[in-house]
Amino acid sequence: MEAVGFIPSSQHLVQTNKTVTWASPSNIALVKYWGKYDPQIPANPSISFTLNHCNTKTSVTLVDQSMLSDKSTGAFSFEFSFEGAPKPDFHPKIASFFARVFDYLPFLKTYHLVINSENTFPHSSGIASSASAMAALSLCLLELSDEFPPNDQNVFSEAFYAKASFLARLGSGSAARSISGPLMQWGKTPGFKASQDLVAVPFNKVLAPIFKNFQDTILLVDKGEKVVSSTVGHGLMKDHPFAKARFQQAHDQLALLTEALVSGDMETFISVVESEALTLHAMMLTSSPYFILMKPGTLSIIEKIWNFRKNTALPVCFTLDAGANVHLLYPEMHKVQVLQFIENELVAYCQNGQYICDQVGSGSISHTVQP
Ligand code: DP6
């Protein structure tokens, strides 16, 4: 489908003063999206596990401009609160998101939106919240548009979720993958006919049982602000000397990973996932300007994981985002042993001993209170 296909053919009936609420999860990429073209088109395909507990919950109320004070110009406006307090720092990112989605949600132009958002994970944990935040906001806006009303059982259609992913992508690329779950693929790749650059689609093969309730324990090595924003990081791939080889590698690794996800071949799964994490960081190490996003604790944890895997033969591996925190991935059946290992050997490298236990989840959930 082309982008114009997401422009509604007619204006839908919109209910003023209606409040809708969605909770969207964060996700962790196994094959990484790193590099993009305008407008938010990925330079390579990616695939991620949708998480379960790390969520953003957002409510949006639609207010008719005529209900506002005389100062209202009648043009689109919004107010945004995060965990109960106004957050002007978030305004520019949200405003540029709105600028990109107006054509696809034309009803917005004459309304004022009251947006309230909260995260279930600690705010300054170094965990990117743009994916879950943009996914939840997109779902709210699309529900308000009434373009794809739910059925009598309050179930939304595939078309609703596809457009929500399209909108979320315009806010933050990885947000396209936070709409559904448990495994979402985004970006055209030859091995998967349904794959697309404009929306993320659910992995359409049967996952091997070992991945059911797969665990992701996020070791918070550094809870500070990101050294480099993802937007800047993606930009560095434009003139990157290794870009072409990297983009091809992502296609190849995705093909290998797809087979491993179906067969349950953990050796291949681990080697692709760890290679992807290290390649992402290698791109940052070799870009101009260059950046080191890991901390000494990140490397110590990786070494400990490798030793633990060698000594126990348990299929435990790591992945990284564009930061210092480590995501420890492992099958649910090994939870007790791995948590013991974390307590004994890894907690020492976590800031204030903090880590978050999450697992693969099934995607965004509506919390709209129906009248
Ligand atoms: C390293 O989705 O945060 O997490 O599209 O600029 O908002 P923008 O970037 P973003 O990039 C995420 C990069 C990553 C890898 C991934 O999630 O695939």
Side-chain angles (χ1 to χ4, degrees):
M1 194 168 186
E2 302 284 309
V4 287
F6 290 99
I7 299 176
S9 47
S10 58
Q11 187 79 291
H12 300 268
L13 198 64
V14 176
Q15 294 168 44
T16 311
N17 285 330
K18 185 175 175 179
T19 300
V20 297
T21 306
W22 281 83
S24 290
S26 186
N27 68 72
I28 180 68
L30 304 173
V31 171
K32 309 287 180 182
Y33 146 57
W34 201 241
K36 64 176 168 182
Y37 312 109
D38 243 5
Q40 296 284 98
I41 302 297
N44 65 259
S46 60
I47 190 165
S48 55
F49 275 138
T50 303
L51 297 182
N52 194 34
H53 305 308
C54 290
N55 277 288
T56 299
K57 192 172 180 185
T58 298
S59 295
V60 182
T61 306
L62 198 61
V63 183
D64 197 291
Q65 292 282 351
S66 61
M67 310 287 282
L68 300 176
S69 73
D70 295 346
K71 282 188 195 132
S72 165
T73 57
F76 171 77
S77 55
F78 70 92
E79 58 193 83
F80 176 77
S81 299
F82 183 72
E83 291 173 357
K87 265 277 176 203
D89 326 357
F90 290 11
H91 271 232
K93 185 142 187 157
I94 301 173
S96 64
F97 165 69
F98 279 121
R100 286 187 188 145
V101 299
F102 275 141
D103 285 349
Y104 308 102
L105 298 167
F107 79 97
L108 283 178
K109 288 180 187 153
T110 51
Y111 285 97
H112 175 77
L113 299 184
V114 181
I115 309 169
N116 286 294
S117 207
E118 61 190 37
N119 285 347
T120 54
F121 46 96
H123 175 43
S124 53
S125 56
I127 299 182
S129 58
S130 62
S132 52
M134 288 299 174
L137 180 57
S138 300
L139 286 156
C140 287
L141 299 179
L142 194 57
E143 183 177 353
L144 285 171
S145 83
D146 247 7
E147 189 181 344
F148 303 100
N151 68 12
D152 295 345
Q153 277 80 52
N154 211 28
V155 175
F156 288 89
S157 61
E158 244 179 62
F160 172 86
Y161 287 108
K163 181 159 176 180
S165 175
F166 173 86
L167 297 171
R169 185 196 102 247
L170 293 171
S172 181
S174 55
R177 301 186 312 237
S178 271
I179 299 295
S180 309
L183 199 58
M184 296 293 285
Q185 193 172 329
W186 173 44
K188 191 105 203 90
T189 193
F192 182 24
K193 273 205 187 96
S195 62
Q196 297 189 43
D197 285 341
L198 299 184
V199 300
V201 293
F203 185 70
N204 69 347
K205 298 183 168 63
V206 179
L207 265 181
I210 195 158
F211 297 109
K212 190 173 171 344
N213 298 332
F214 214 63
Q215 303 290 301
D216 178 6
T217 302
I218 309 161
L219 304 161
L220 304 178
V221 175
D222 183 17
K223 304 197 292 164
E225 284 273 305
K226 281 185 172 181
V227 181
V228 188
S229 73
S230 305
T231 307
V232 171
H234 289 293
L236 293 171
M237 289 306 287
K238 286 216 167 81
D239 300 311
H240 199 290
F242 307 137
K244 197 167 167 232
R246 159 59 196 153
F247 299 149
Q248 182 54 47
Q249 180 201 30
H251 287 276
D252 299 344
Q253 304 249 63
L254 183 56
L256 277 175
L257 188 73
T258 300
E259 279 176 28
L261 287 165
V262 173
S263 67
D265 169 1
M266 291 308 288
E267 211 173 298
T268 304
F269 175 85
I270 289 170
S271 75
V272 170
V273 168
E274 292 191 346
S275 157
E276 279 291 315
L278 295 177
T279 301
L280 169 69
H281 283 255
M283 291 299 109
M284 294 303 277
L285 289 166
T286 50
S287 60
S288 171
Y290 43 78
F291 295 96
I292 300 180
L293 305 183
M294 297 189 207
K295 296 279 182 212
T298 313
L299 288 174
S300 302
I301 289 175
I302 291 174
E303 218 172 6
K304 293 268 179 192
I305 294 170
W306 285 349
N307 282 336
F308 178 74
R309 193 161 74 219
K310 198 165 150 208
N311 296 336
T312 61
L314 293 183
V316 176
C317 68
F318 71 87
T319 187
L320 308 165
D321 261 340
N325 296 334
V326 181
H327 289 247
L328 192 58
L329 302 174
Y330 51 97
E332 189 184 29
M333 68 180 108
H334 303 307
K335 197 170 167 177
V336 173
Q337 269 165 292
V338 176
L339 287 177
Q340 198 62 59
F341 160 60
I342 292 170
E343 280 296 325
N344 293 346
E345 299 193 43
L346 305 184
V347 152
Y349 303 104
C350 298
Q351 223 178 327
N352 306 326
Q354 268 186 294
Y355 59 90
I356 297 173
C357 293
D358 209 335
Q359 64 179 43
V360 170
S362 53
S364 301
I365 296 176
S366 169
H367 289 265
T368 302
V369 180
Q370 296 302 332

